[in-house]
Amino acid sequence: MVADVPAADRFPLPALVRRVAAALVLALSPGAAGAAPAHAIAMHGEPLYPAGFEGFRYARPDAPKGGRITYGVFGSFDSLNPFIIKGQPARGLRDGGQENFVYESMMVRGQDEAFTLYCLVCETVETPEDRAWVEFRIRPQARFSDGKAIEAADVVHSFELLRDEGRPNAAQAYKKVARVETPDPRTVRFVFEDASDKELALIMGLMPILPKHLMSREDFAKTSLAPPVGSGPYKIAAVDPGNRLTLKRDPNYWARDLAVKRGFDNFDEIRFDYYRDQNALFEAFKAGLIDVYPESDPSRWTTGYDFPAVTDGRIVKETFETGLPRGMYGFVFNTRRPVFADVRVREALARLFDFEWANKNLFFDLYRRTASYFEGSELSSVGRPASEAERKLLAAVGASVRPDILEGTWRPASTDGSGRDRAALKAAFDQLAAAGWKLDKGVMRNAQTGQPLAFEIIFQTRDQERIALLYQRTLKQIGIEAAVRTLDSPQYQRRRTSFDFDMTLWIWGASLSPGNEQLHRWSVAAADIDGSFNLPGARNPAHDALIAAMLAAKSRDDFVDAVRAFDRVLISGFYAVPLYHQPNVWLARWTRIERPSTTSLWGPVIAAWWVKPGS
């Protein structure tokens, strides 16, 4: 069986991108070498864990089973369909990493590596050296939770639904598949348009598998609160829309004895309780209604845990180091709005966030300033002069990068921490003046039109409101009017997905192996796709070309050069006011929940934790 993808449906990469990718493939690829079935696939290099391995080191193979864990979630939900842009899906169905409780993929990530996948639903994966295709052989024991065997037809059906009706970030990768072949009910081969995207073989390994016999095209495209059927270790036991989702472990789970699942899925019940207020969520944790609390507020982390359950040892605070980049959290400029069209204006406004005052007075000096989109990793360009390979890449794609960013000496503007640094204010004022703005009776106005420099900042939480008000105060000192507005979750999602905002707070997470997801964030096409993460509306063809170079890289060194070049171009665009990041993961838990002594490269993996026997 062959399923062809219509050419008009494929993701429209600009011609420049295709030329760069083709050139890289010709330069780097020795051709398609013979493939062989394997237990795992790594983006670069070899998998850490060999064939026949006993289990991941960050899971305890003999972890006790039983009990319940309750998570607290900020917000609400109105759907159990996490694959479409409509609605607000509940957490726990398909969260990535090892927490795919209901839906599964052919493979699972190894969380001690940058990007390596190990077979789960498939028993083998096969791909040639040039990665022009990837083939999966499905395990004969693989089953959906209703007992029906997983077959190639389910995989093809899932692919077609996700490509045609799914979230755009996933669909754009699937549209690079030229055809799907199913020589028998247990074998699926995805053949790609070309061999320029080395990540596609792994992307297909992470594609969720949906039951063809229960998921029609019409049903897939709708939000629904009907409990779905997947192949994962848990079934949905109860749904209280917007308030609670309860999962129960499936005693007949087909994969429970596989090495990749050894030591995981230890709770008999997993509960997700929703709260509209972050303070109420923390109070629920203090009262024992929630078992685990990932902390992001340095003030609370420093002073908010002085209560009996902590002092008598029933709750422990833990700090985890990770090897992951920190990503970029910031105030995002929507460049679709004329007020933010000029990069000089964006840079000037970025100067006006007083991190030093905020960190000292609000955050106990626990945060670190973010400068790079891949902060704290080898992928960051900050503090490193561009290599010769980077410079050639940047020249080839016609990217414009400022000298200080190219040399790695640029940093976000700093202040004296007084809350009214005149030198910092003057630098921003002078830059705005050079861009055609002037101060007129205390109001910053466009010198030609008289239009005031004013905009609205939207956000969801009180913590975000606090930092927005701080920024508003500094902007006001040079005549810039920023209105701040808190929205509830549905309102915020509607405005964010339709790009109906001037400025908002957003975080672009980062991994050690950025790839196709960057198209959804930064490609020219994504600027016009509702629901994409290209919130700034960036339309720089160099982004597409450098993402193509990242995807075409055959060695880790070539990949790092491409990512650093990409980082320099993003920084040069001043698409956001860089804010800050936690240096480590902060997490508090009730001691009735126990964990392995070893932590993964990615940090804590709660899916491998368990309830203390007898608690």
Side-chain angles (χ1 to χ4, degrees):
M1 173 182 175
V2 175
D4 288 311
V5 181
D9 288 341
R10 297 172 188 161
F11 192 74
L13 290 178
L16 172 62
V17 179
R18 294 192 180 280
R19 288 199 299 273
V20 171
L24 283 164
V25 169
L26 288 174
L28 299 175
S29 176
H39 74 293
I41 180 173
M43 182 65 189
H44 300 108
E46 297 297 322
L48 175 64
Y49 295 89
F53 74 103
E54 294 296 317
F56 294 116
R57 71 179 187 94
Y58 46 85
R60 176 180 155 184
D62 62 346
K65 307 287 186 182
R68 179 179 69 205
I69 188 171
T70 301
Y71 295 96
V73 185
F74 175 76
S76 182
F77 72 94
D78 58 12
S79 174
L80 298 182
N81 184 348
F83 305 115
I84 59 174
I85 196 171
K86 300 176 193 173
Q88 183 69 25
R91 183 180 158 188
L93 305 170
R94 170 80 182 176
D95 291 334
Q98 293 282 355
E99 297 190 7
N100 297 318
F101 296 129
V102 175
Y103 292 105
E104 293 182 318
S105 305
M106 285 288 185
M107 310 186 79
V108 296
R109 287 179 180 266
Q111 298 195 20
D112 271 335
E113 302 157 85
F115 194 9
T116 300
L117 305 182
Y118 294 85
C119 281
L120 173 60
V121 171
C122 64
E123 63 181 358
T124 60
V125 58
E126 187 173 351
T127 188
E129 185 177 345
D130 67 358
R131 295 195 180 171
W133 51 266
V134 65
E135 182 174 292
F136 303 100
R137 180 70 173 166
I138 300 171
R139 295 183 191 272
Q141 70 267 39
R143 294 284 187 277
F144 292 108
S145 61
D146 64 355
K148 187 179 183 303
I150 298 175
E151 297 185 341
D154 297 297
V155 180
V156 174
H157 183 64
S158 303
F159 164 73
E160 292 173 343
L161 291 180
L162 292 161
R163 179 198 63 192
D164 300 339
E165 308 288 346
R167 289 180 174 272
N169 57 319
Q172 65 190 21
Y174 301 149
K175 287 174 182 176
K176 296 180 184 180
V177 175
R179 65 182 186 275
V180 186
E181 300 170 354
T182 56
D184 62 63
R186 287 180 49 212
T187 304
V188 184
R189 175 179 288 199
F190 295 96
V191 181
F192 307 128
E193 288 181 335
D194 56 52
S196 64
D197 186 341
K198 307 303 178 189
E199 190 185 47
L200 273 181
L202 287 82
I203 294 296
M204 302 317 298
L206 289 176
M207 184 187 76
I209 301 172
L210 313 175
K212 181 179 180 181
H213 63 293
L214 296 175
M215 183 75 76
S216 69
R217 184 171 291 267
E218 292 73 22
D219 290 337
F220 177 83
K222 300 175 183 176
T223 60
S224 173
L225 289 168
V229 170
S231 64
Y234 289 86
K235 296 180 179 182
I236 293 177
V239 182
D240 181 0
N243 298 313
R244 174 178 290 172
L245 179 71
T246 304
L247 308 180
K248 291 211 171 185
R249 189 156 55 89
D250 183 357
N252 300 312
Y253 176 48
W254 68 273
R256 61 184 178 273
D257 296 324
L258 297 180
V260 293
K261 299 300 286 183
R262 198 163 290 146
F264 292 93
D265 312 318
N266 303 314
F267 304 107
D268 282 348
E269 182 176 295
I270 301 175
R271 181 184 293 174
F272 298 92
D273 285 349
Y274 283 75
Y275 296 82
R276 272 57 166 188
D277 180 86
Q278 195 71 40
N279 289 330
L281 198 161
F282 183 63
E283 290 300 318
F285 171 69
K286 289 168 62 176
L289 301 177
I290 294 169
D291 293 308
V292 178
Y293 192 85
E295 186 58 82
S296 60
D297 183 342
S299 175
R300 186 164 51 225
W301 187 245
T302 303
T303 66
Y305 286 80
D306 185 16
F307 55 91
V310 176
T311 56
D312 65 21
R314 287 175 294 150
I315 287 178
V316 293
K317 294 170 61 183
E318 298 181 294
T319 299
F320 299 90
E321 294 184 359
T322 80
L324 299 181
R326 299 302 188 264
M328 174 62 72
Y329 177 50
F331 289 106
V332 179
F333 299 106
N334 186 352
T335 66
R336 303 170 186 84
R337 301 287 208 249
V339 67
F340 295 140
D342 190 331
V343 68
R344 296 172 297 174
V345 172
R346 301 198 298 271
E347 184 180 3
L349 294 178
R351 289 179 174 274
L352 293 170
F353 179 71
D354 194 342
F355 168 74
E356 285 70 24
W357 186 95
N359 202 32
K360 177 182 177 181
N361 291 279
L362 301 179
F363 304 137
F364 291 82
D365 281 326
L366 291 180
Y367 277 147
R368 302 292 179 266
R369 188 74 193 268
T370 304
S372 165
Y373 285 80
F374 305 96
E375 186 75 29
S377 75
E378 65 172 344
L379 304 178
S380 171
S381 66
V382 174
R384 299 180 173 99
S387 67
E388 188 62 29
E390 283 184 71
R391 294 171 192 266
K392 287 181 180 178
L393 262 179
L394 291 167
V397 303
S400 177
V401 177
R402 283 190 354 194
D404 57 341
I405 297 174
L406 193 65
E407 295 303 322
T409 59
W410 176 86
R411 297 292 189 282
S414 59
T415 72
D416 61 11
S418 66
R420 195 173 180 85
D421 185 335
R422 292 185 179 276
L425 293 170
K426 185 178 186 304
F429 180 89
D430 290 345
Q431 194 160 11
L432 286 170
W437 296 83
K438 67 177 184 179
L439 196 61
D440 178 19
K441 297 178 181 177
V443 177
M444 186 65 69
R445 297 184 182 276
N446 186 288
Q448 291 187 341
T449 66
Q451 185 76 18
L453 181 47
F455 52 90
E456 179 188 56
I457 307 172
I458 65 169
F459 44 83
Q460 295 186 84
T461 71
R462 291 184 180 178
D463 289 342
Q464 292 174 332
E465 179 184 41
R466 180 171 59 168
I467 206 67
L469 289 171
L470 170 66
Y471 189 38
Q472 177 193 55
R473 186 186 72 186
T474 309
L475 293 167
K476 187 71 174 175
Q477 293 178 32
I478 61 170
I480 300 170
E481 189 64 37
V484 299
R485 185 175 181 185
T486 307
L487 302 177
D488 63 25
S489 183
Q491 287 179 309
Y492 180 81
Q493 294 302 327
R494 282 195 296 271
R495 291 189 59 177
R496 180 191 66 77
T497 56
S498 62
F499 310 122
D500 181 19
F501 63 89
D502 299 330
M503 176 180 280
T504 189
L505 282 152
W506 187 253
I507 183 167
W508 288 281
S511 75
L512 290 168
S513 186
N516 273 281
E517 79 285 350
Q518 301 299 320
L519 289 169
H520 187 61
R521 301 177 181 189
W522 297 111
S523 69
V524 172
D528 297 315
I529 298 175
D530 282 358
S532 85
F533 296 155
N534 189 344
L535 272 65
R539 292 182 172 86
N540 186 347
H543 293 175
D544 299 67
L546 290 169
I547 295 168
M550 291 156 53
L551 295 173
K554 294 199 70 177
S555 73
R556 184 70 184 177
D557 288 345
D558 290 341
F559 178 75
V560 170
D561 282 330
V563 178
R564 288 180 185 170
F566 182 53
D567 190 36
R568 295 182 203 277
V569 174
L570 292 179
I571 293 170
S572 297
F574 291 96
Y575 297 113
V577 179
L579 294 182
Y580 41 74
H581 60 273
Q582 294 176 208
N584 298 298
V585 174
W586 303 326
L587 189 146
R589 63 180 169 89
W590 285 83
T591 54
R592 62 176 173 260
I593 303 296
E594 298 187 323
R595 65 174 182 84
S597 58
T598 302
T599 302
S600 80
L601 177 72
W602 291 26
V605 181
I606 301 178
W609 294 13
W610 61 88
V611 172
K612 182 179 180 179
S615 64

